[in-house]
Amino acid sequence: MTKLGQWLCGLALLGSAWAALALAPPGLQPPAPLRQALLPLPVYLLVAFGCYSLATVGYRVATFNDCEEAAAELQEHIKAARADLRRRGLRL
Amino acid sequence: RVSVLLPTYNERDNLPLVVWLLVRTFSDSGIDFEIIIIDDGSPDGTQEVAQQLEKIYGSDKILLRPRARKLGLGTAYIHGMKYATGNFIVIMDADLSHHPKFIPEFIRKQKEGNFDIVSGTRYKGNGGVYGWDLKRKLISRGANFLTQVLLRPGASDLTGSFRLYRKEVLQKLMEKCVSKGYVFQMEMIVRARQLGFTIGEVPISFVDRVYGESKLGGNEIVSFLKGLLTLFATT
């Protein structure tokens, strides 16, 4: 199954469970406090996921390694490379 | 034996440096190697430099297999692989953003877990980048996050292009992959997982372009998103 397929199945499952409980006709309804929490749940989850995403990406950007030594080392290597290549007859 | 595939386009300044570093890395670590340079008709004299390198290091180590025009990365790999005699293939950028010193680490990692693919990652361990401003880092991390959420690929760096493949594995993957650009690198990993191949990771440092122009703009972002959604819907 494709990832899209997995998402659609998952959403369909959760969606129907939510609809069954939150939008049930009188008589089959769960107790009032549960219903009050259930109704806005999808929006809450969306917002929570949005916050999680921002926090995660923010954290990862902040902790993105800056390879200062790698850059310096590369400059050294470039110097050595050019000197050696010139010795071996490379005309740049 | 390792075959390094180096697709080049206008890399006249960087090519000799990359080749020098590769030769030194391999001779220092005693690994048998060959370097296959696939130049797509560069107008800046890259091929001329490549011919000089072939004379200096020998045509058994430097294989020139150019093409007439710019035909794209995927086909460059396919073209280069035809001439590869190694049992491992390393793909990397020829612009010095990937340092050959990591290749022995890739090989060590491959032996450690008998992996089919070893992927260099900028996002884990002490991997990282140099020369990226905040905007670039944000785009990179944001795109990677989106990719992780949608594709759950089991690898931390999907758009990276510094990797070691078993030759048969790369051949198999090249048959199946159809995308272009960054998405092509992503598709390789996703398909590899689909086919049950194992992937190991090694942190690498990515030093952004020393000479020449980098290739990331609005167009790239749009085509990345299109490609990501395509992979999402088809794999």
PDB file of all heavy atoms in Angstrom, chain A residues 23-60:
ATOM      1  N   LEU A  23     -20.871  12.284  16.971  1.00  0.00           N
ATOM      2  CA  LEU A  23     -22.077  12.700  16.264  1.00  0.00           C
ATOM      3  C   LEU A  23     -23.204  11.684  16.420  1.00  0.00           C
ATOM      4  O   LEU A  23     -24.132  11.646  15.633  1.00  0.00           O
ATOM      5  CB  LEU A  23     -21.765  12.912  14.771  1.00  0.00           C
ATOM      6  CG  LEU A  23     -20.570  13.821  14.468  1.00  0.00           C
ATOM      7  CD1 LEU A  23     -20.287  13.851  12.967  1.00  0.00           C
ATOM      8  CD2 LEU A  23     -20.849  15.243  14.962  1.00  0.00           C
ATOM      9  N   ALA A  24     -23.091  10.825  17.419  1.00  0.00           N
ATOM     10  CA  ALA A  24     -24.087   9.752  17.578  1.00  0.00           C
ATOM     11  C   ALA A  24     -25.456  10.334  17.902  1.00  0.00           C
ATOM     12  O   ALA A  24     -25.551  11.388  18.546  1.00  0.00           O
ATOM     13  CB  ALA A  24     -23.643   8.819  18.700  1.00  0.00           C
ATOM     14  N   PRO A  25     -26.526   9.675  17.459  1.00  0.00           N
ATOM     15  CA  PRO A  25     -27.884  10.128  17.787  1.00  0.00           C
ATOM     16  C   PRO A  25     -28.142   9.970  19.284  1.00  0.00           C
ATOM     17  O   PRO A  25     -27.489   9.168  19.944  1.00  0.00           O
ATOM     18  CB  PRO A  25     -28.783   9.189  16.983  1.00  0.00           C
ATOM     19  CG  PRO A  25     -27.957   7.981  16.741  1.00  0.00           C
ATOM     20  CD  PRO A  25     -26.538   8.465  16.634  1.00  0.00           C
ATOM     21  N   PRO A  26     -29.103  10.756  19.819  1.00  0.00           N
ATOM     22  CA  PRO A  26     -29.409  10.640  21.251  1.00  0.00           C
ATOM     23  C   PRO A  26     -29.793   9.202  21.580  1.00  0.00           C
ATOM     24  O   PRO A  26     -30.417   8.515  20.800  1.00  0.00           O
ATOM     25  CB  PRO A  26     -30.617  11.567  21.451  1.00  0.00           C
ATOM     26  CG  PRO A  26     -30.746  12.343  20.195  1.00  0.00           C
ATOM     27  CD  PRO A  26     -29.916  11.726  19.123  1.00  0.00           C
ATOM     28  N   GLY A  27     -29.431   8.768  22.756  1.00  0.00           N
ATOM     29  CA  GLY A  27     -29.690   7.382  23.133  1.00  0.00           C
ATOM     30  C   GLY A  27     -28.410   6.564  23.045  1.00  0.00           C
ATOM     31  O   GLY A  27     -28.118   5.750  23.921  1.00  0.00           O
ATOM     32  N   LEU A  28     -27.612   6.810  21.986  1.00  0.00           N
ATOM     33  CA  LEU A  28     -26.351   6.083  21.845  1.00  0.00           C
ATOM     34  C   LEU A  28     -25.158   6.959  22.239  1.00  0.00           C
ATOM     35  O   LEU A  28     -24.019   6.565  22.135  1.00  0.00           O
ATOM     36  CB  LEU A  28     -26.156   5.628  20.399  1.00  0.00           C
ATOM     37  CG  LEU A  28     -27.057   4.485  19.913  1.00  0.00           C
ATOM     38  CD1 LEU A  28     -26.847   4.243  18.431  1.00  0.00           C
ATOM     39  CD2 LEU A  28     -26.793   3.215  20.706  1.00  0.00           C
ATOM     40  N   GLN A  29     -25.479   8.221  22.681  1.00  0.00           N
ATOM     41  CA  GLN A  29     -24.383   9.152  22.939  1.00  0.00           C
ATOM     42  C   GLN A  29     -23.601   8.765  24.186  1.00  0.00           C
ATOM     43  O   GLN A  29     -24.188   8.325  25.169  1.00  0.00           O
ATOM     44  CB  GLN A  29     -24.946  10.562  23.143  1.00  0.00           C
ATOM     45  CG  GLN A  29     -25.318  11.255  21.861  1.00  0.00           C
ATOM     46  CD  GLN A  29     -26.029  12.566  22.128  1.00  0.00           C
ATOM     47  OE1 GLN A  29     -26.341  12.874  23.265  1.00  0.00           O
ATOM     48  NE2 GLN A  29     -26.276  13.336  21.099  1.00  0.00           N
ATOM     49  N   PRO A  30     -22.267   8.963  24.132  1.00  0.00           N
ATOM     50  CA  PRO A  30     -21.476   8.812  25.353  1.00  0.00           C
ATOM     51  C   PRO A  30     -21.802   9.962  26.306  1.00  0.00           C
ATOM     52  O   PRO A  30     -22.393  10.953  25.880  1.00  0.00           O
ATOM     53  CB  PRO A  30     -20.031   8.890  24.850  1.00  0.00           C
ATOM     54  CG  PRO A  30     -20.130   9.590  23.543  1.00  0.00           C
ATOM     55  CD  PRO A  30     -21.444   9.262  22.955  1.00  0.00           C
ATOM     56  N   PRO A  31     -21.401   9.862  27.598  1.00  0.00           N
ATOM     57  CA  PRO A  31     -21.718  10.912  28.585  1.00  0.00           C
ATOM     58  C   PRO A  31     -21.231  12.288  28.137  1.00  0.00           C
ATOM     59  O   PRO A  31     -20.257  12.404  27.388  1.00  0.00           O
ATOM     60  CB  PRO A  31     -20.989  10.445  29.844  1.00  0.00           C
ATOM     61  CG  PRO A  31     -20.071   9.356  29.409  1.00  0.00           C
ATOM     62  CD  PRO A  31     -20.666   8.736  28.205  1.00  0.00           C
ATOM     63  N   ALA A  32     -21.923  13.320  28.620  1.00  0.00           N
ATOM     64  CA  ALA A  32     -21.700  14.704  28.159  1.00  0.00           C
ATOM     65  C   ALA A  32     -20.257  15.188  28.236  1.00  0.00           C
ATOM     66  O   ALA A  32     -19.757  15.757  27.274  1.00  0.00           O
ATOM     67  CB  ALA A  32     -22.637  15.651  28.906  1.00  0.00           C
ATOM     68  N   PRO A  33     -19.561  14.998  29.371  1.00  0.00           N
ATOM     69  CA  PRO A  33     -18.175  15.494  29.433  1.00  0.00           C
ATOM     70  C   PRO A  33     -17.300  14.882  28.325  1.00  0.00           C
ATOM     71  O   PRO A  33     -16.499  15.568  27.701  1.00  0.00           O
ATOM     72  CB  PRO A  33     -17.677  15.027  30.811  1.00  0.00           C
ATOM     73  CG  PRO A  33     -18.876  14.637  31.579  1.00  0.00           C
ATOM     74  CD  PRO A  33     -19.974  14.333  30.615  1.00  0.00           C
ATOM     75  N   LEU A  34     -17.501  13.588  28.070  1.00  0.00           N
ATOM     76  CA  LEU A  34     -16.715  12.929  27.027  1.00  0.00           C
ATOM     77  C   LEU A  34     -17.013  13.547  25.671  1.00  0.00           C
ATOM     78  O   LEU A  34     -16.128  13.824  24.876  1.00  0.00           O
ATOM     79  CB  LEU A  34     -17.031  11.424  27.007  1.00  0.00           C
ATOM     80  CG  LEU A  34     -16.143  10.575  26.095  1.00  0.00           C
ATOM     81  CD1 LEU A  34     -14.691  10.692  26.520  1.00  0.00           C
ATOM     82  CD2 LEU A  34     -16.578   9.122  26.121  1.00  0.00           C
ATOM     83  N   ARG A  35     -18.301  13.810  25.422  1.00  0.00           N
ATOM     84  CA  ARG A  35     -18.685  14.395  24.137  1.00  0.00           C
ATOM     85  C   ARG A  35     -18.096  15.788  23.971  1.00  0.00           C
ATOM     86  O   ARG A  35     -17.645  16.164  22.895  1.00  0.00           O
ATOM     87  CB  ARG A  35     -20.208  14.467  24.013  1.00  0.00           C
ATOM     88  CG  ARG A  35     -20.755  13.498  22.996  1.00  0.00           C
ATOM     89  CD  ARG A  35     -22.220  13.695  22.760  1.00  0.00           C
ATOM     90  NE  ARG A  35     -23.006  13.706  23.979  1.00  0.00           N
ATOM     91  CZ  ARG A  35     -23.900  14.654  24.271  1.00  0.00           C
ATOM     92  NH1 ARG A  35     -24.111  15.647  23.451  1.00  0.00           N
ATOM     93  NH2 ARG A  35     -24.575  14.605  25.407  1.00  0.00           N
ATOM     94  N   GLN A  36     -18.084  16.549  25.062  1.00  0.00           N
ATOM     95  CA  GLN A  36     -17.541  17.911  25.005  1.00  0.00           C
ATOM     96  C   GLN A  36     -16.053  17.899  24.639  1.00  0.00           C
ATOM     97  O   GLN A  36     -15.573  18.776  23.951  1.00  0.00           O
ATOM     98  CB  GLN A  36     -17.706  18.608  26.353  1.00  0.00           C
ATOM     99  CG  GLN A  36     -19.019  19.334  26.458  1.00  0.00           C
ATOM    100  CD  GLN A  36     -19.169  20.009  27.802  1.00  0.00           C
ATOM    101  OE1 GLN A  36     -18.315  19.862  28.683  1.00  0.00           O
ATOM    102  NE2 GLN A  36     -20.244  20.738  27.970  1.00  0.00           N
ATOM    103  N   ALA A  37     -15.361  16.898  25.152  1.00  0.00           N
ATOM    104  CA  ALA A  37     -13.937  16.803  24.837  1.00  0.00           C
ATOM    105  C   ALA A  37     -13.724  16.269  23.426  1.00  0.00           C
ATOM    106  O   ALA A  37     -12.785  16.641  22.739  1.00  0.00           O
ATOM    107  CB  ALA A  37     -13.241  15.900  25.856  1.00  0.00           C
ATOM    108  N   LEU A  38     -14.617  15.396  22.996  1.00  0.00           N
ATOM    109  CA  LEU A  38     -14.445  14.711  21.720  1.00  0.00           C
ATOM    110  C   LEU A  38     -14.638  15.624  20.516  1.00  0.00           C
ATOM    111  O   LEU A  38     -13.914  15.542  19.534  1.00  0.00           O
ATOM    112  CB  LEU A  38     -15.461  13.561  21.641  1.00  0.00           C
ATOM    113  CG  LEU A  38     -14.970  12.197  21.155  1.00  0.00           C
ATOM    114  CD1 LEU A  38     -13.628  11.858  21.761  1.00  0.00           C
ATOM    115  CD2 LEU A  38     -15.992  11.140  21.510  1.00  0.00           C
ATOM    116  N   LEU A  39     -15.634  16.505  20.613  1.00  0.00           N
ATOM    117  CA  LEU A  39     -16.008  17.300  19.442  1.00  0.00           C
ATOM    118  C   LEU A  39     -14.861  18.128  18.855  1.00  0.00           C
ATOM    119  O   LEU A  39     -14.627  18.095  17.655  1.00  0.00           O
ATOM    120  CB  LEU A  39     -17.187  18.214  19.814  1.00  0.00           C
ATOM    121  CG  LEU A  39     -18.370  18.261  18.838  1.00  0.00           C
ATOM    122  CD1 LEU A  39     -18.589  16.925  18.144  1.00  0.00           C
ATOM    123  CD2 LEU A  39     -19.648  18.645  19.583  1.00  0.00           C
ATOM    124  N   PRO A  40     -14.155  18.894  19.699  1.00  0.00           N
ATOM    125  CA  PRO A  40     -13.063  19.693  19.115  1.00  0.00           C
ATOM    126  C   PRO A  40     -11.738  18.930  18.964  1.00  0.00           C
ATOM    127  O   PRO A  40     -10.735  19.502  18.567  1.00  0.00           O
ATOM    128  CB  PRO A  40     -12.895  20.839  20.124  1.00  0.00           C
ATOM    129  CG  PRO A  40     -13.452  20.330  21.394  1.00  0.00           C
ATOM    130  CD  PRO A  40     -14.334  19.167  21.124  1.00  0.00           C
ATOM    131  N   LEU A  41     -11.756  17.644  19.293  1.00  0.00           N
ATOM    132  CA  LEU A  41     -10.501  16.878  19.301  1.00  0.00           C
ATOM    133  C   LEU A  41      -9.691  16.959  18.001  1.00  0.00           C
ATOM    134  O   LEU A  41      -8.488  17.187  18.033  1.00  0.00           O
ATOM    135  CB  LEU A  41     -10.779  15.414  19.660  1.00  0.00           C
ATOM    136  CG  LEU A  41      -9.560  14.599  20.082  1.00  0.00           C
ATOM    137  CD1 LEU A  41      -8.891  15.211  21.297  1.00  0.00           C
ATOM    138  CD2 LEU A  41      -9.948  13.161  20.365  1.00  0.00           C
ATOM    139  N   PRO A  42     -10.328  16.794  16.848  1.00  0.00           N
ATOM    140  CA  PRO A  42      -9.543  16.861  15.604  1.00  0.00           C
ATOM    141  C   PRO A  42      -8.787  18.181  15.458  1.00  0.00           C
ATOM    142  O   PRO A  42      -7.619  18.179  15.066  1.00  0.00           O
ATOM    143  CB  PRO A  42     -10.610  16.735  14.508  1.00  0.00           C
ATOM    144  CG  PRO A  42     -11.730  16.029  15.157  1.00  0.00           C
ATOM    145  CD  PRO A  42     -11.724  16.451  16.583  1.00  0.00           C
ATOM    146  N   VAL A  43      -9.451  19.281  15.796  1.00  0.00           N
ATOM    147  CA  VAL A  43      -8.773  20.572  15.679  1.00  0.00           C
ATOM    148  C   VAL A  43      -7.610  20.658  16.665  1.00  0.00           C
ATOM    149  O   VAL A  43      -6.528  21.124  16.345  1.00  0.00           O
ATOM    150  CB  VAL A  43      -9.768  21.735  15.929  1.00  0.00           C
ATOM    151  CG1 VAL A  43      -9.057  23.059  15.788  1.00  0.00           C
ATOM    152  CG2 VAL A  43     -10.921  21.643  14.948  1.00  0.00           C
ATOM    153  N   TYR A  44      -7.860  20.191  17.909  1.00  0.00           N
ATOM    154  CA  TYR A  44      -6.789  20.179  18.918  1.00  0.00           C
ATOM    155  C   TYR A  44      -5.572  19.422  18.408  1.00  0.00           C
ATOM    156  O   TYR A  44      -4.434  19.855  18.533  1.00  0.00           O
ATOM    157  CB  TYR A  44      -7.272  19.499  20.204  1.00  0.00           C
ATOM    158  CG  TYR A  44      -8.180  20.328  21.060  1.00  0.00           C
ATOM    159  CD1 TYR A  44      -8.858  19.773  22.144  1.00  0.00           C
ATOM    160  CD2 TYR A  44      -8.368  21.684  20.810  1.00  0.00           C
ATOM    161  CE1 TYR A  44      -9.698  20.518  22.936  1.00  0.00           C
ATOM    162  CE2 TYR A  44      -9.211  22.443  21.600  1.00  0.00           C
ATOM    163  CZ  TYR A  44      -9.882  21.863  22.664  1.00  0.00           C
ATOM    164  OH  TYR A  44     -10.722  22.597  23.442  1.00  0.00           O
ATOM    165  N   LEU A  45      -5.844  18.231  17.847  1.00  0.00           N
ATOM    166  CA  LEU A  45      -4.744  17.395  17.374  1.00  0.00           C
ATOM    167  C   LEU A  45      -3.975  18.088  16.256  1.00  0.00           C
ATOM    168  O   LEU A  45      -2.753  18.048  16.195  1.00  0.00           O
ATOM    169  CB  LEU A  45      -5.272  16.046  16.887  1.00  0.00           C
ATOM    170  CG  LEU A  45      -5.771  15.110  17.975  1.00  0.00           C
ATOM    171  CD1 LEU A  45      -6.319  13.825  17.375  1.00  0.00           C
ATOM    172  CD2 LEU A  45      -4.657  14.789  18.959  1.00  0.00           C
ATOM    173  N   LEU A  46      -4.691  18.748  15.372  1.00  0.00           N
ATOM    174  CA  LEU A  46      -4.054  19.467  14.276  1.00  0.00           C
ATOM    175  C   LEU A  46      -3.146  20.564  14.813  1.00  0.00           C
ATOM    176  O   LEU A  46      -1.997  20.706  14.400  1.00  0.00           O
ATOM    177  CB  LEU A  46      -5.133  20.085  13.380  1.00  0.00           C
ATOM    178  CG  LEU A  46      -4.856  20.070  11.874  1.00  0.00           C
ATOM    179  CD1 LEU A  46      -4.608  18.642  11.422  1.00  0.00           C
ATOM    180  CD2 LEU A  46      -6.030  20.672  11.121  1.00  0.00           C
ATOM    181  N   VAL A  47      -3.686  21.333  15.760  1.00  0.00           N
ATOM    182  CA  VAL A  47      -2.898  22.411  16.355  1.00  0.00           C
ATOM    183  C   VAL A  47      -1.685  21.839  17.084  1.00  0.00           C
ATOM    184  O   VAL A  47      -0.564  22.358  16.976  1.00  0.00           O
ATOM    185  CB  VAL A  47      -3.767  23.256  17.309  1.00  0.00           C
ATOM    186  CG1 VAL A  47      -2.913  24.255  18.057  1.00  0.00           C
ATOM    187  CG2 VAL A  47      -4.849  23.981  16.531  1.00  0.00           C
ATOM    188  N   ALA A  48      -1.910  20.756  17.816  1.00  0.00           N
ATOM    189  CA  ALA A  48      -0.801  20.135  18.553  1.00  0.00           C
ATOM    190  C   ALA A  48       0.284  19.678  17.587  1.00  0.00           C
ATOM    191  O   ALA A  48       1.480  19.884  17.821  1.00  0.00           O
ATOM    192  CB  ALA A  48      -1.316  18.949  19.370  1.00  0.00           C
ATOM    193  N   PHE A  49      -0.139  19.079  16.470  1.00  0.00           N
ATOM    194  CA  PHE A  49       0.846  18.637  15.495  1.00  0.00           C
ATOM    195  C   PHE A  49       1.588  19.822  14.901  1.00  0.00           C
ATOM    196  O   PHE A  49       2.798  19.771  14.675  1.00  0.00           O
ATOM    197  CB  PHE A  49       0.176  17.824  14.380  1.00  0.00           C
ATOM    198  CG  PHE A  49       1.126  17.404  13.311  1.00  0.00           C
ATOM    199  CD1 PHE A  49       2.087  16.444  13.569  1.00  0.00           C
ATOM    200  CD2 PHE A  49       1.103  18.005  12.067  1.00  0.00           C
ATOM    201  CE1 PHE A  49       2.995  16.063  12.589  1.00  0.00           C
ATOM    202  CE2 PHE A  49       2.006  17.638  11.086  1.00  0.00           C
ATOM    203  CZ  PHE A  49       2.950  16.662  11.346  1.00  0.00           C
ATOM    204  N   GLY A  50       0.856  20.918  14.644  1.00  0.00           N
ATOM    205  CA  GLY A  50       1.495  22.123  14.127  1.00  0.00           C
ATOM    206  C   GLY A  50       2.561  22.633  15.081  1.00  0.00           C
ATOM    207  O   GLY A  50       3.684  22.953  14.675  1.00  0.00           O
ATOM    208  N   CYS A  51       2.236  22.677  16.380  1.00  0.00           N
ATOM    209  CA  CYS A  51       3.212  23.144  17.373  1.00  0.00           C
ATOM    210  C   CYS A  51       4.414  22.210  17.429  1.00  0.00           C
ATOM    211  O   CYS A  51       5.567  22.656  17.477  1.00  0.00           O
ATOM    212  CB  CYS A  51       2.571  23.208  18.756  1.00  0.00           C
ATOM    213  SG  CYS A  51       1.317  24.476  18.867  1.00  0.00           S
ATOM    214  N   TYR A  52       4.136  20.907  17.398  1.00  0.00           N
ATOM    215  CA  TYR A  52       5.223  19.926  17.432  1.00  0.00           C
ATOM    216  C   TYR A  52       6.151  20.124  16.240  1.00  0.00           C
ATOM    217  O   TYR A  52       7.380  20.110  16.379  1.00  0.00           O
ATOM    218  CB  TYR A  52       4.639  18.518  17.428  1.00  0.00           C
ATOM    219  CG  TYR A  52       5.647  17.446  17.113  1.00  0.00           C
ATOM    220  CD1 TYR A  52       6.567  17.030  18.070  1.00  0.00           C
ATOM    221  CD2 TYR A  52       5.707  16.872  15.837  1.00  0.00           C
ATOM    222  CE1 TYR A  52       7.511  16.070  17.776  1.00  0.00           C
ATOM    223  CE2 TYR A  52       6.651  15.907  15.534  1.00  0.00           C
ATOM    224  CZ  TYR A  52       7.551  15.511  16.507  1.00  0.00           C
ATOM    225  OH  TYR A  52       8.482  14.565  16.199  1.00  0.00           O
ATOM    226  N   SER A  53       5.554  20.329  15.061  1.00  0.00           N
ATOM    227  CA  SER A  53       6.369  20.521  13.861  1.00  0.00           C
ATOM    228  C   SER A  53       7.261  21.739  13.992  1.00  0.00           C
ATOM    229  O   SER A  53       8.458  21.679  13.721  1.00  0.00           O
ATOM    230  CB  SER A  53       5.482  20.700  12.633  1.00  0.00           C
ATOM    231  OG  SER A  53       4.597  19.639  12.510  1.00  0.00           O
ATOM    232  N   LEU A  54       6.669  22.875  14.417  1.00  0.00           N
ATOM    233  CA  LEU A  54       7.452  24.096  14.547  1.00  0.00           C
ATOM    234  C   LEU A  54       8.586  23.907  15.546  1.00  0.00           C
ATOM    235  O   LEU A  54       9.731  24.292  15.298  1.00  0.00           O
ATOM    236  CB  LEU A  54       6.559  25.255  14.998  1.00  0.00           C
ATOM    237  CG  LEU A  54       5.636  25.829  13.929  1.00  0.00           C
ATOM    238  CD1 LEU A  54       4.719  26.875  14.540  1.00  0.00           C
ATOM    239  CD2 LEU A  54       6.440  26.438  12.797  1.00  0.00           C
ATOM    240  N   ALA A  55       8.249  23.283  16.688  1.00  0.00           N
ATOM    241  CA  ALA A  55       9.259  23.083  17.715  1.00  0.00           C
ATOM    242  C   ALA A  55      10.377  22.188  17.219  1.00  0.00           C
ATOM    243  O   ALA A  55      11.571  22.479  17.409  1.00  0.00           O
ATOM    244  CB  ALA A  55       8.616  22.494  18.974  1.00  0.00           C
ATOM    245  N   THR A  56      10.015  21.101  16.545  1.00  0.00           N
ATOM    246  CA  THR A  56      11.021  20.157  16.069  1.00  0.00           C
ATOM    247  C   THR A  56      11.928  20.799  15.026  1.00  0.00           C
ATOM    248  O   THR A  56      13.159  20.709  15.124  1.00  0.00           O
ATOM    249  CB  THR A  56      10.341  18.912  15.449  1.00  0.00           C
ATOM    250  OG1 THR A  56       9.471  18.346  16.409  1.00  0.00           O
ATOM    251  CG2 THR A  56      11.373  17.896  15.022  1.00  0.00           C
ATOM    252  N   VAL A  57      11.322  21.445  14.026  1.00  0.00           N
ATOM    253  CA  VAL A  57      12.141  22.067  12.990  1.00  0.00           C
ATOM    254  C   VAL A  57      13.008  23.172  13.595  1.00  0.00           C
ATOM    255  O   VAL A  57      14.189  23.296  13.282  1.00  0.00           O
ATOM    256  CB  VAL A  57      11.268  22.622  11.845  1.00  0.00           C
ATOM    257  CG1 VAL A  57      12.122  23.372  10.846  1.00  0.00           C
ATOM    258  CG2 VAL A  57      10.538  21.493  11.148  1.00  0.00           C
ATOM    259  N   GLY A  58      12.413  23.960  14.501  1.00  0.00           N
ATOM    260  CA  GLY A  58      13.178  25.019  15.157  1.00  0.00           C
ATOM    261  C   GLY A  58      14.375  24.460  15.902  1.00  0.00           C
ATOM    262  O   GLY A  58      15.501  24.950  15.774  1.00  0.00           O
ATOM    263  N   TYR A  59      14.135  23.406  16.678  1.00  0.00           N
ATOM    264  CA  TYR A  59      15.223  22.779  17.424  1.00  0.00           C
ATOM    265  C   TYR A  59      16.305  22.276  16.478  1.00  0.00           C
ATOM    266  O   TYR A  59      17.504  22.465  16.714  1.00  0.00           O
ATOM    267  CB  TYR A  59      14.663  21.631  18.258  1.00  0.00           C
ATOM    268  CG  TYR A  59      15.722  20.795  18.935  1.00  0.00           C
ATOM    269  CD1 TYR A  59      16.411  21.274  20.051  1.00  0.00           C
ATOM    270  CD2 TYR A  59      16.059  19.536  18.447  1.00  0.00           C
ATOM    271  CE1 TYR A  59      17.396  20.510  20.660  1.00  0.00           C
ATOM    272  CE2 TYR A  59      17.040  18.773  19.050  1.00  0.00           C
ATOM    273  CZ  TYR A  59      17.707  19.257  20.159  1.00  0.00           C
ATOM    274  OH  TYR A  59      18.685  18.507  20.758  1.00  0.00           O
ATOM    275  N   ARG A  60      15.874  21.614  15.391  1.00  0.00           N
ATOM    276  CA  ARG A  60      16.853  21.039  14.469  1.00  0.00           C
ATOM    277  C   ARG A  60      17.653  22.119  13.751  1.00  0.00           C
ATOM    278  O   ARG A  60      18.832  21.922  13.461  1.00  0.00           O
ATOM    279  CB  ARG A  60      16.151  20.137  13.465  1.00  0.00           C
ATOM    280  CG  ARG A  60      15.656  18.856  14.096  1.00  0.00           C
ATOM    281  CD  ARG A  60      14.902  18.003  13.108  1.00  0.00           C
ATOM    282  NE  ARG A  60      14.465  16.758  13.731  1.00  0.00           N
ATOM    283  CZ  ARG A  60      13.669  15.882  13.140  1.00  0.00           C
ATOM    284  NH1 ARG A  60      13.220  16.120  11.915  1.00  0.00           N
ATOM    285  NH2 ARG A  60      13.320  14.782  13.774  1.00  0.00           N
TER     286      ARG A  60
END
